PDB file of all heavy atoms in Angstrom:
ATOM      1  N   GLU A  71      42.201  23.362 -14.152  1.00 94.00           N
ATOM      2  CA  GLU A  71      43.579  23.812 -13.633  1.00 94.00           C
ATOM      3  C   GLU A  71      43.515  25.184 -12.953  1.00 94.00           C
ATOM      4  O   GLU A  71      44.159  25.464 -12.084  1.00 94.00           O
ATOM      5  CB  GLU A  71      44.582  23.713 -14.823  1.00 94.00           C
ATOM      6  CG  GLU A  71      44.908  22.392 -15.293  1.00 94.00           C
ATOM      7  CD  GLU A  71      45.682  22.342 -16.553  1.00 94.00           C
ATOM      8  OE1 GLU A  71      46.039  23.429 -17.124  1.00 94.00           O
ATOM      9  OE2 GLU A  71      46.071  21.094 -17.000  1.00 94.00           O
ATOM     10  N   GLU A  72      42.731  26.013 -13.681  1.00 94.00           N
ATOM     11  CA  GLU A  72      42.640  27.472 -13.084  1.00 94.00           C
ATOM     12  C   GLU A  72      42.015  27.322 -11.663  1.00 94.00           C
ATOM     13  O   GLU A  72      42.444  28.045 -10.663  1.00 94.00           O
ATOM     14  CB  GLU A  72      41.666  28.267 -14.015  1.00 94.00           C
ATOM     15  CG  GLU A  72      41.524  29.645 -13.604  1.00 94.00           C
ATOM     16  CD  GLU A  72      40.654  30.445 -14.624  1.00 94.00           C
ATOM     17  OE1 GLU A  72      40.560  29.972 -15.755  1.00 94.00           O
ATOM     18  OE2 GLU A  72      40.080  31.461 -14.145  1.00 94.00           O
ATOM     19  N   ILE A  73      40.946  26.568 -11.522  1.00 93.00           N
ATOM     20  CA  ILE A  73      40.425  26.483 -10.257  1.00 93.00           C
ATOM     21  C   ILE A  73      41.336  25.897  -9.147  1.00 93.00           C
ATOM     22  O   ILE A  73      41.513  26.325  -8.036  1.00 93.00           O
ATOM     23  CB  ILE A  73      39.027  25.601 -10.371  1.00 93.00           C
ATOM     24  CG1 ILE A  73      37.970  26.300 -11.083  1.00 93.00           C
ATOM     25  CG2 ILE A  73      38.557  25.135  -8.881  1.00 93.00           C
ATOM     26  CD1 ILE A  73      36.767  25.466 -11.453  1.00 93.00           C
ATOM     27  N   ASP A  74      42.085  24.879  -9.614  1.00 92.00           N
ATOM     28  CA  ASP A  74      43.089  24.230  -8.706  1.00 92.00           C
ATOM     29  C   ASP A  74      44.036  25.282  -8.274  1.00 92.00           C
ATOM     30  O   ASP A  74      44.413  25.359  -7.115  1.00 92.00           O
ATOM     31  CB  ASP A  74      43.786  23.072  -9.387  1.00 92.00           C
ATOM     32  CG  ASP A  74      42.880  21.892  -9.489  1.00 92.00           C
ATOM     33  OD1 ASP A  74      41.930  21.768  -8.827  1.00 92.00           O
ATOM     34  OD2 ASP A  74      43.256  20.980 -10.377  1.00 92.00           O
ATOM     35  N   ARG A  75      44.457  26.215  -9.114  1.00 91.00           N
ATOM     36  CA  ARG A  75      45.464  27.200  -8.820  1.00 91.00           C
ATOM     37  C   ARG A  75      44.818  28.156  -7.724  1.00 91.00           C
ATOM     38  O   ARG A  75      45.493  28.565  -6.790  1.00 91.00           O
ATOM     39  CB  ARG A  75      45.963  28.020 -10.045  1.00 91.00           C
ATOM     40  CG  ARG A  75      46.976  27.366 -10.756  1.00 91.00           C
ATOM     41  CD  ARG A  75      47.663  28.234 -11.766  1.00 91.00           C
ATOM     42  NE  ARG A  75      46.719  28.753 -12.806  1.00 91.00           N
ATOM     43  CZ  ARG A  75      46.329  28.151 -13.805  1.00 91.00           C
ATOM     44  NH1 ARG A  75      46.868  26.981 -14.171  1.00 91.00           N
ATOM     45  NH2 ARG A  75      45.490  28.792 -14.746  1.00 91.00           N
ATOM     46  N   LEU A  76      43.535  28.585  -8.007  1.00 89.00           N
ATOM     47  CA  LEU A  76      42.802  29.451  -7.090  1.00 89.00           C
ATOM     48  C   LEU A  76      42.602  28.889  -5.688  1.00 89.00           C
ATOM     49  O   LEU A  76      42.847  29.484  -4.670  1.00 89.00           O
ATOM     50  CB  LEU A  76      41.458  29.824  -7.674  1.00 89.00           C
ATOM     51  CG  LEU A  76      41.631  30.759  -8.885  1.00 89.00           C
ATOM     52  CD1 LEU A  76      40.162  30.978  -9.513  1.00 89.00           C
ATOM     53  CD2 LEU A  76      42.007  32.154  -8.508  1.00 89.00           C
ATOM     54  N   VAL A  77      42.261  27.472  -5.774  1.00 88.00           N
ATOM     55  CA  VAL A  77      42.054  26.771  -4.415  1.00 88.00           C
ATOM     56  C   VAL A  77      43.325  26.649  -3.642  1.00 88.00           C
ATOM     57  O   VAL A  77      43.208  26.756  -2.467  1.00 88.00           O
ATOM     58  CB  VAL A  77      41.330  25.483  -4.741  1.00 88.00           C
ATOM     59  CG1 VAL A  77      41.262  24.610  -3.410  1.00 88.00           C
ATOM     60  CG2 VAL A  77      39.904  25.687  -5.190  1.00 88.00           C
ATOM     61  N   ASP A  78      44.440  26.366  -4.361  1.00 86.00           N
ATOM     62  CA  ASP A  78      45.591  26.217  -3.633  1.00 86.00           C
ATOM     63  C   ASP A  78      46.377  27.368  -3.391  1.00 86.00           C
ATOM     64  O   ASP A  78      47.401  27.322  -2.555  1.00 86.00           O
ATOM     65  CB  ASP A  78      46.520  25.170  -4.585  1.00 86.00           C
ATOM     66  CG  ASP A  78      45.917  23.781  -4.755  1.00 86.00           C
ATOM     67  OD1 ASP A  78      45.195  23.372  -3.832  1.00 86.00           O
ATOM     68  OD2 ASP A  78      46.328  23.136  -5.710  1.00 86.00           O
ATOM     69  N   ALA A  79      45.945  28.505  -3.861  1.00 78.00           N
ATOM     70  CA  ALA A  79      46.688  29.802  -3.537  1.00 78.00           C
ATOM     71  C   ALA A  79      46.525  30.127  -2.154  1.00 78.00           C
ATOM     72  O   ALA A  79      45.519  29.840  -1.510  1.00 78.00           O
ATOM     73  CB  ALA A  79      46.038  30.886  -4.362  1.00 78.00           C
ATOM     74  N   PRO A  80      47.567  30.725  -1.472  1.00 73.00           N
ATOM     75  CA  PRO A  80      47.473  31.077  -0.114  1.00 73.00           C
ATOM     76  C   PRO A  80      46.343  32.201   0.031  1.00 73.00           C
ATOM     77  O   PRO A  80      46.255  33.065  -0.795  1.00 73.00           O
ATOM     78  CB  PRO A  80      48.874  31.639   0.248  1.00 73.00           C
ATOM     79  CG  PRO A  80      49.476  31.870  -1.054  1.00 73.00           C
ATOM     80  CD  PRO A  80      48.733  31.049  -2.077  1.00 73.00           C
ATOM     81  N   VAL A  81      45.608  32.120   1.138  1.00 65.00           N
ATOM     82  CA  VAL A  81      44.697  33.082   1.512  1.00 65.00           C
ATOM     83  C   VAL A  81      45.319  34.208   2.091  1.00 65.00           C
ATOM     84  O   VAL A  81      46.025  34.087   3.024  1.00 65.00           O
ATOM     85  CB  VAL A  81      43.612  32.479   2.366  1.00 65.00           C
ATOM     86  CG1 VAL A  81      42.560  33.583   2.770  1.00 65.00           C
ATOM     87  CG2 VAL A  81      42.875  31.254   1.899  1.00 65.00           C
ATOM     88  N   LEU A  82      45.077  35.340   1.484  1.00 64.00           N
ATOM     89  CA  LEU A  82      45.581  36.658   2.022  1.00 64.00           C
ATOM     90  C   LEU A  82      44.674  37.233   3.065  1.00 64.00           C
ATOM     91  O   LEU A  82      43.499  37.322   2.948  1.00 64.00           O
ATOM     92  CB  LEU A  82      45.781  37.645   0.898  1.00 64.00           C
ATOM     93  CG  LEU A  82      46.739  37.256  -0.168  1.00 64.00           C
ATOM     94  CD1 LEU A  82      46.721  38.321  -1.288  1.00 64.00           C
ATOM     95  CD2 LEU A  82      48.155  37.029   0.271  1.00 64.00           C
ATOM     96  N   SER A  83      45.238  37.563   4.274  1.00 61.00           N
ATOM     97  CA  SER A  83      44.405  38.064   5.337  1.00 61.00           C
ATOM     98  C   SER A  83      44.401  39.589   5.162  1.00 61.00           C
ATOM     99  O   SER A  83      45.389  40.165   4.631  1.00 61.00           O
ATOM    100  CB  SER A  83      45.021  37.674   6.717  1.00 61.00           C
ATOM    101  OG  SER A  83      46.223  38.114   6.815  1.00 61.00           O
TER     102      SER A  83
END
Side-chain angles (χ1 to χ4, degrees):
E71 289 174 359
E72 182 182 336
I73 290 171
D74 285 341
R75 281 193 300 277
L76 291 170
V77 168
D78 293 338
V81 177
L82 299 175
S83 58

